[in-house]
Amino acid sequence: MSRMLDLGSISTRQGRIAELAEKNPQMSFTSLNQHLDEAWLKEAHRLTRKDGAVGVDGQTAKSYGRALEENLCELLERAKSGRYRAPAVRRVHIPKGSGSQTRPIGIPTFEDKVLQRAVVMLLEPIFEHDFEDLSYGFRPGRSAQDALDVVRKALMEMGGGWVLDADIQGFFSSLPHVVVRETVKQRVRDGVVLRLIGKWLKAGVSEEGATSYPKEGTPQGGVISPLLSNIVLHEVLDSWWTAQVSPRLTGRAVLVRYADDFAVVFENKADAERVLRVLPKRLAKYGLTLHPEKTRLVDMTHPWKGDGKPETFDFLGFTHFWGKTRRGGFAIKQKTSRKRFARSLKAIGQWCRNNRHDPMWKQHRELSRKLRGHYAYFGRRGNRRALDRFLREVQRHWVYWLRRRSQRTRVTWNWVNEWLAKKLPLPQPKMRPIRRPAANL
C-alpha cells in the first residue's frame, strides 16, 4: 500500500511540474531537487533496466539491490551535497553496418543509471511541453513507427516531392558541452541538477584499461543522453524550423526527427534547396556540421509527374521508394534497408556461433524472441518479402552453426525440415497493424 502511495505521489509531483511548465513557458525552474527524495530514487530504481551490461565497477543490479534502501539513501546524500562523482563509462563498440564500421556505446554503472533516471524523471515533464510535434525519438507515447507513418503520409499527400536526407556528423561525439549546459539552463537553473549534468558530461571514458576525458559529446548509452540530445536539437532545429523556416516556404513541407536522425519532405524543389543552403549555417552556430557525403536532396517526384525514375532514401532502417500497387497505381513503400538487414543478420549469425553448444530448446527460445522483435519493428505493410527472406537467412545461419557443434553429428536441411520444423519451428513473420500517424500535416 505504501509503495502505491509513493508512486501516486511521484506521478502527482510530475504532474505539478508539467502544469507549471505549461502555464509558464518562459519560467526557469530553480528548486527541482526538492522532489529528489528516497521515494523518487526508488521509482527510478524500479524503472532502470536490471539486465543491462555492467559498468566499470562490475556491479550488477542484483548486488546493488541487496542493500537497496541503504544504497539509495547514501546516493541521495551524495547527489544533493555535491559529493557524487560520476564514474567513467565503459566504452564498447557495436557493429554499425555490414562492414567493419562500429558505433561507440558508453555503459554507465548501475548506480549512475539510477541517478540519471531520477534526473530524467525531473526534466521530462518540463521539456515535454516545450518539444514540437515533429520529434519522435525517446519521447513518451511516441516511436519510430509514428515517424515512419508521418514521412509516408507526407509524400503521399503531396503526391511526391523532394526529400532532404540529412545527417549530423558525429552528433553525440561532437556536441559541445557548453551548448548542452546553456540550452538546459533556459528552463532549469536548479544547482543540484545542473551540477549533476555537468559531472556526467565530464565523466571519463574507460576503454581497454585507459581512461580519457573528452571535452565534447555525450556518450551514447547513458540514460540521460537521449533527453539531452532532444533538448539541444529542439533548440537547434525544431523550434527554428517551426518559427522561422516553415512560415517562409512557398509550398508544403514536413520535418520529421528521431533523435539526431531527421528527414524533411518538400513539395517544391526550390524550398528544399533554400533550406539546404541555410541549414549548415544554423548547425555551425552550435558547433555542429552536416555530413558532406550522407546529406543529399532526393528526387521523390511521383513517377507520373517526373521526367526520370524516382530515387530512394533510407530513414530509420527503411528504404522509401515509389512502388506499384495491385490496382496499377503508385504508392510510397517502405522495405528493410540493405544496411539494416545485413546488420541484423550479422548479429544473429554471431549469436548462433557463440551459443551453438547450448541446448536446442534454449537456442530456439532466444532466436524466436529475436525474430519477434525484428517483426515488431520491420513488420510494416509492403515489407513481407524482406521479412520472409530474413527468416530464411536466420534458419540458414542456425543450421550452419548447428552442424559445427560436433564432428559426429551431421545436421542437414532434410533433418531440419523433418525435425526442427515440426519440433522447434521458428515464428513466422507478423505484420504490424495499420495505424494513423500521430501528428497532423
Side-chain angles (χ1 to χ4, degrees):
M1 183 67 178
S2 60
R3 183 170 178 269
M4 293 180 64
L5 290 174
D6 286 343
L7 295 182
S9 174
I10 289 169
S11 63
T12 300
R13 283 187 277 173
Q14 286 182 310
R16 290 172 184 166
I17 295 172
E19 186 178 356
L20 278 173
E22 185 176 14
K23 289 182 179 179
N24 305 280
Q26 304 301 321
M27 173 183 174
S28 294
F29 289 76
T30 58
S31 57
L32 277 177
N33 78 88
Q34 66 176 324
H35 299 287
L36 196 61
D37 54 22
E38 188 176 347
W40 195 278
L41 284 181
K42 281 185 178 180
E43 177 62 2
H45 174 269
R46 187 186 71 85
L47 295 174
T48 301
R49 181 178 172 182
K50 307 299 189 297
D51 59 347
V54 297
V56 292
D57 61 354
Q59 188 174 51
T60 64
K62 185 176 181 180
S63 64
Y64 191 82
R66 292 194 184 104
L68 182 60
E69 292 193 7
E70 295 178 13
N71 288 333
L72 293 182
C73 285
E74 201 264 342
L75 174 62
L76 180 63
E77 194 279 328
R78 283 184 288 138
K80 289 204 169 188
S81 66
R83 292 193 303 108
Y84 183 79
R85 297 183 62 183
V89 297
R90 182 169 66 88
R91 174 171 286 174
V92 297
H93 295 266
I94 62 173
K96 191 175 182 180
S98 57
S100 58
Q101 287 187 329
T102 60
R103 183 190 304 274
I105 297 292
I107 303 175
T109 64
F110 181 77
E111 182 178 66
D112 207 39
K113 292 177 184 177
V114 172
L115 188 55
Q116 287 190 32
R117 175 61 62 190
V119 173
V120 168
M121 290 163 55
L122 287 173
L123 298 180
E124 203 169 62
I126 300 172
F127 289 99
E128 269 301 308
H129 284 283
D130 295 347
F131 291 158
E132 304 287 345
D133 285 340
L134 56 83
S135 69
Y136 294 88
F138 305 101
R139 295 183 58 189
R142 288 170 169 254
S143 69
Q145 299 298 326
D146 296 321
L148 290 164
D149 288 340
V150 173
V151 169
R152 183 182 185 279
K153 185 171 185 280
L155 283 166
M156 290 295 294
E157 290 195 349
M158 294 181 195
W162 291 80
V163 174
L164 174 55
D165 182 14
D167 183 270
I168 300 177
Q169 189 166 11
F171 174 78
F172 286 97
S173 60
S174 63
L175 184 61
H177 292 171
V178 64
V179 172
V180 180
R181 289 194 294 266
E182 292 302 317
T183 307
V184 173
K185 284 171 66 174
Q186 292 180 15
R187 284 294 251 161
V188 176
R189 291 187 176 272
D190 183 288
V192 172
V193 174
L194 292 178
R195 184 168 59 234
L196 286 172
I197 291 175
K199 289 183 177 183
W200 286 320
L201 291 174
K202 295 178 181 178
V205 176
S206 177
E207 185 173 10
E208 297 181 353
T211 302
S212 60
Y213 295 88
K215 296 182 179 180
E216 294 181 331
T218 58
Q220 296 184 63
V223 178
I224 201 169
S225 292
L227 178 59
L228 293 180
S229 68
N230 272 336
I231 292 172
V232 171
L233 285 173
H234 166 76
E235 171 69 20
V236 174
L237 188 65
D238 303 351
S239 60
W240 171 70
W241 170 267
T242 302
Q244 300 183 41
V245 179
S246 185
R248 292 179 169 84
L249 301 179
T250 59
R252 289 177 292 176
V254 175
L255 187 150
V256 180
R257 182 176 66 80
Y258 189 92
D260 63 325
D261 197 0
F262 67 96
V264 194
V265 181
F266 294 91
E267 186 176 26
N268 297 334
K269 183 180 181 181
D271 287 336
E273 292 174 335
R274 287 173 57 198
V275 171
L276 184 56
R277 285 195 299 268
V278 299
L279 183 57
K281 300 176 183 177
R282 176 67 180 182
L283 294 179
K285 182 179 178 181
Y286 296 88
L288 301 171
T289 58
L290 284 176
H291 197 294
E293 298 177 359
K294 297 181 180 180
T295 300
R296 63 193 182 108
L297 278 183
V298 183
D299 183 1
M300 292 295 290
T301 309
H302 196 288
W304 287 344
K305 297 179 181 179
D307 298 329
K309 183 179 180 180
E311 299 175 5
T312 67
F313 70 97
D314 290 350
F315 183 60
L316 298 181
F318 286 85
T319 297
H320 298 66
F321 64 101
W322 282 103
K324 277 286 190 72
T325 65
R326 293 181 178 179
R327 297 183 178 181
F330 287 92
I332 290 293
K333 296 190 176 183
Q334 299 163 321
K335 65 180 180 180
T336 310
S337 69
R338 291 183 179 180
K339 288 184 179 180
R340 184 62 69 87
F341 188 100
R343 187 173 77 187
S344 300
L345 193 59
K346 181 179 180 181
I348 286 187
Q350 187 64 45
W351 184 91
C352 290
R353 177 183 181 179
N354 295 340
N355 298 273
R356 64 187 183 275
H357 295 295
D358 289 351
M360 295 285 290
W361 65 267
K362 189 174 182 180
Q363 293 187 48
H364 173 265
R365 183 182 63 184
E366 184 62 20
L367 283 174
S368 296
R369 187 189 66 81
K370 292 178 180 293
L371 279 171
R372 291 191 185 99
H374 187 86
Y375 300 156
Y377 186 83
F378 290 101
R380 295 183 65 83
R381 182 174 56 178
N383 197 35
R384 181 59 184 255
R385 184 178 298 177
L387 296 187
D388 288 337
R389 182 181 163 221
F390 190 77
L391 173 59
R392 291 195 302 269
E393 291 295 322
V394 169
Q395 290 173 328
R396 186 178 66 83
H397 277 278
W398 191 20
V399 174
Y400 178 87
W401 288 110
L402 284 176
R403 295 181 65 183
R404 279 150 182 78
R405 292 196 341 160
S406 172
Q407 295 296 329
R408 299 178 181 177
T409 305
R410 299 298 297 174
V411 180
T412 65
W413 275 108
N414 288 335
W415 182 79
V416 172
N417 292 331
E418 294 175 3
W419 194 87
L420 277 186
K422 295 178 181 178
K423 300 284 187 176
L424 297 173
L426 292 174
Q428 295 295 309
K430 185 177 181 180
M431 310 306 291
R432 296 177 58 88
I434 299 174
R435 304 181 308 167
R436 294 189 176 187
N440 295 324
L441 299 179

